[in-house]
Amino acid sequence: MLLIIVVYMFSGGVYMSAVSQMSGTWSWIDEDVMMAGYASMTGLTMAFPLLFRILFRFPPRGLLLFSAGVFIVSDYLCMVSDFLPLVVFLSFFSGFFKIVATFVCWSNIQLRITPKRDFAVFFPFLFTFVLGSVQLVNVATGYSLYAFDWKAMHRLTIGAFLLVFALVYFGMRKGYRQGPYMPFKGIDYLGGVLWSLWLLCVVFVCVYGEYYDWLDGEPIRTGIVFAVVLLFLCLYRAATIRHPYINLRTFSQQNMLYIFILFGCMTLMSATATTIQNIFTTAVLGFDTRHNADLNWGIAAGIAVGTGIFYLAVVKWKWRTKDVVLTGFFSFFLYQFMLYFLIDPSTEKYMLYLPMVFKGAGVSLVYTSLTYALAGCVTFAYYFEAMCVIGFIRTSFGGALNAAVVTRLFRRVSQENTAGLGGYLDSMYAPPDALQWIYGEFARQLTMVSLKQVYGYAVLAALLILFAILCSDYRHLIGSTTQRMLRLSQVWRIVRAKMG
């Protein structure tokens, strides 16, 4: 089952690590590929409210076989199709079934991990595989790009899903169900479509904003208008029907706002690693795709360290959630602080591994502790809808929004530095054959100065977040360190009661 989980985590339609190669093949812009990648994350987010309904409606064997078939078809079509709307739709669809398939697998083996159904034991194990698999995808994509081309990753995943299909078909028992049969009754399909379209509109604005020059571009203004109208329709429908896709009471659950803000801070701290760091390693250090992919090993090691610290802190040392969250953001601070001083053309690759470990530890500590806190302060009737709402900032438009903010900041700083430093070139004399070297060195120095400024702002932001956490008092985020998962029979009764 763990092998199947890792294979399912490799799916997703397109791979954002191969954005430049894929866009070059189809004559797209980089934003087109990024849009498809974030559509996959949006589909993953919107599946949460339906997970138990799907689990009680279909047997696990049928779900895994159908999901494997979906991924085989979607990965093949995303590999051969240059029609962008189809690729975006398939990415959204595959993201939806990615979380469905992995949820089926985890629900089958959770008692092997924690017979007492303890979240403090289950979540570290869960997020070690989930977050670690994301880094393994980046490693595999980088290696396949270095050795072959971007389509090699799709061929690899198609072959892996064929293996999974055969393994499930011949190895899993037929007719087995994890709970009583429950029909698809009382599901707000239109509400799910409206929320999905709203998220995709927000992602569109964040991804294409810089390309169309934000409000100066008509597509961005149109996208904002559509997003506002769709949000109004979503809230109106949620307030007027009996069983909305996302109940409005979900937004008022205890500490939802605090957890939402903290996840937003986490995605902001992660944005420098996903956008600005690649500029440094590629433009200044001259790393190719393989060497950039190697850095993900450090992040993967940091993720394992972070989940291990969470387990020891909560289960053994009985730390408060605030202390674990503070430790995670301090790890983010160390990453930003070290990168600030490592921005230099003489930096060696091995020097970057320790900051990557701190970055991975920060992600896993914050991700695991806040999800654990959410399980302790939200009633189960609204828990998966709350996971969907938190997913808005955690896995859907949060990454695109913060990446847009950091990219905009970097370009603004670069423009200011060009205007300030360019005067020195205007007043100097050099023979024509030296101009090319002079302007090349000027561009490199300009990039390093701008990167250092952005990382300096990131260090200040991390300090402000740490100060805000230190000054806050949210010990009530979770009342006990022994939160228990409900039995499937209890879950079935809750879900059946919500059907009304």
Side-chain angles (χ1 to χ4, degrees), residues 246-316:
I246 299 178
N247 198 305
L248 291 182
R249 294 191 182 94
T250 305
F251 297 92
S252 60
Q253 291 292 298
Q254 183 184 13
N255 298 311
M256 274 289 295
L257 179 61
Y258 299 117
I259 296 175
F260 191 88
I261 292 174
L262 288 172
F263 267 119
C265 294
M266 183 198 74
T267 57
L268 178 61
M269 291 294 98
S270 301
T272 52
T274 56
T275 54
I276 305 303
Q277 178 187 300
N278 288 335
I279 298 176
F280 169 57
T281 57
T282 303
V284 177
L285 300 183
F287 285 5
D288 57 14
T289 55
R290 179 183 175 182
H291 289 89
N292 277 322
D294 286 339
L295 298 179
N296 289 280
W297 289 114
I299 301 177
I303 288 170
V305 171
T307 51
I309 292 174
F310 174 86
Y311 172 79
L312 293 174
V314 175
V315 177
K316 303 296 183 181

Side-chain angles (χ1 to χ4, degrees), residues 60-285:
R61 183 175 180 271
L63 284 173
L64 294 180
L65 289 176
F66 182 79
S67 299
V70 167
F71 293 135
I72 292 171
V73 173
S74 64
D75 279 3
Y76 176 77
L77 291 178
C78 288
M79 179 177 65
V80 301
S81 175
D82 61 348
F83 185 53
L84 182 61
L86 176 62
V87 174
V88 172
F89 174 78
L90 290 174
S91 298
F92 179 90
F93 201 61
S94 61
F96 185 95
F97 279 96
K98 175 195 289 189
I99 189 64
V100 169
T102 53
F103 178 75
V104 170
C105 295
W106 284 115
S107 62
N108 271 276
I109 63 174
Q110 63 180 11
L111 290 179
R112 293 282 186 176
I113 302 168
T114 169
K116 295 182 179 179
R117 299 176 178 270
D118 190 351
F119 278 124
V121 177
F122 179 66
F123 280 161
F125 195 89
L126 169 71
F127 289 120
T128 299
F129 272 85
V130 172
L131 299 177
S133 296
V134 174
Q135 305 308 317
L136 292 180
V137 170
N138 294 332
V139 170
T141 304
Y143 286 2
S144 64
L145 287 172
Y146 180 79
F148 306 104
D149 57 12
W150 65 268
K151 294 184 179 181
M153 191 62 186
H154 290 264
R155 301 187 190 101
L156 174 65
T157 53
I158 291 173
F161 279 116
L162 289 172
L163 176 62
V164 168
F165 190 93
L167 185 64
V168 172
Y169 186 83
F170 294 106
M172 288 193 71
R173 187 173 59 189
K174 296 181 180 180
Y176 169 73
R177 287 184 175 274
Q178 291 183 261
Y181 172 83
M182 182 178 294
F184 277 175
K185 178 183 177 183
I187 296 178
D188 180 20
Y189 296 105
L190 180 58
V193 172
L194 290 175
W195 281 110
S196 299
L197 291 175
W198 175 71
L199 287 176
L200 291 175
C201 279
V202 177
V203 169
F204 174 85
V205 172
C206 296
V207 170
Y208 289 93
E210 193 68 30
Y211 180 79
Y212 288 113
D213 202 13
W214 295 102
L215 293 179
D216 289 334
E218 183 179 352
I220 302 303
R221 296 196 299 267
T222 304
I224 292 174
V225 171
F226 271 100
V228 172
V229 173
L230 286 169
L231 179 60
F232 172 78
L233 293 176
C234 291
L235 297 176
Y236 176 78
R237 184 168 179 81
T240 55
I241 68 172
R242 185 178 180 184
H243 297 297
Y245 196 83
I246 299 178
N247 198 305
L248 291 182
R249 294 191 182 94
T250 305
F251 297 92
S252 60
Q253 291 292 298
Q254 183 184 13
N255 298 311
M256 274 289 295
L257 179 61
Y258 299 117
I259 296 175
F260 191 88
I261 292 174
L262 288 172
F263 267 119
C265 294
M266 183 198 74
T267 57
L268 178 61
M269 291 294 98
S270 301
T272 52
T274 56
T275 54
I276 305 303
Q277 178 187 300
N278 288 335
I279 298 176
F280 169 57
T281 57
T282 303
V284 177
L285 300 183

Side-chain angles (χ1 to χ4, degrees), residues 340-418:
Y340 178 84
F341 290 101
L342 287 174
I343 296 176
D344 188 271
S346 62
T347 299
E348 299 289 342
K349 188 171 76 170
Y350 73 88
M351 299 178 184
L352 298 174
Y353 280 110
L354 184 58
M356 296 302 106
V357 171
F358 282 120
K359 191 262 182 181
V363 169
S364 60
L365 278 169
V366 176
Y367 208 103
T368 309
S369 57
L370 291 181
T371 307
Y372 180 61
L374 188 69
C377 62
V378 176
T379 59
F380 183 80
Y382 300 105
Y383 176 68
F384 279 85
E385 294 179 16
M387 289 285 287
C388 180
V389 173
I390 293 299
F392 292 173
I393 193 71
R394 186 178 65 179
T395 54
S396 183
F397 66 77
L401 175 62
N402 287 293
V405 171
V406 173
T407 302
R408 182 66 175 177
L409 176 62
F410 176 74
R411 293 196 177 184
R412 178 62 62 86
V413 169
S414 298
Q415 291 170 358
E416 293 176 356
N417 290 332
T418 301

